[in-house]
Amino acid sequence: MNAAELSAILGVVTTVAGLAEKYGPEVYETVKSALEQSRSSTGPTVDDLKALFAKCQADNAAIQAS
């Protein structure tokens, strides 16, 4: 890995840690799922992205309600 790749990874980790601190550990699972889908050779489908967006909205609503 070069410096640019390490910097990008550190940026993602910092962002996820900040979101987890603000919204709870559920954020980690949502981001992990999105990354796993994006690693596939075909990438996520439109339906996958819509489902992920709906899950993020539901997670946020649950967090805000608690």
Side-chain angles (χ1 to χ4, degrees), residues 2-65:
N2 63 34
E5 291 170 331
L6 291 173
S7 179
I9 290 170
L10 181 59
V12 169
V13 169
T14 302
T15 300
V16 171
L19 290 171
E21 184 177 306
K22 184 174 181 180
Y23 296 112
E26 298 84 10
V27 169
Y28 170 75
E29 289 301 323
T30 302
V31 171
K32 181 180 166 196
S33 173
L35 289 173
E36 287 172 351
Q37 288 179 348
S38 68
R39 288 188 340 197
S40 72
S41 61
T42 59
T45 65
V46 171
D47 289 336
D48 291 337
L49 293 173
K50 287 179 181 178
L52 179 61
F53 183 67
K55 179 167 180 2
C56 289
Q57 287 181 313
D59 287 351
N60 186 45
I63 291 164
Q64 298 303 321

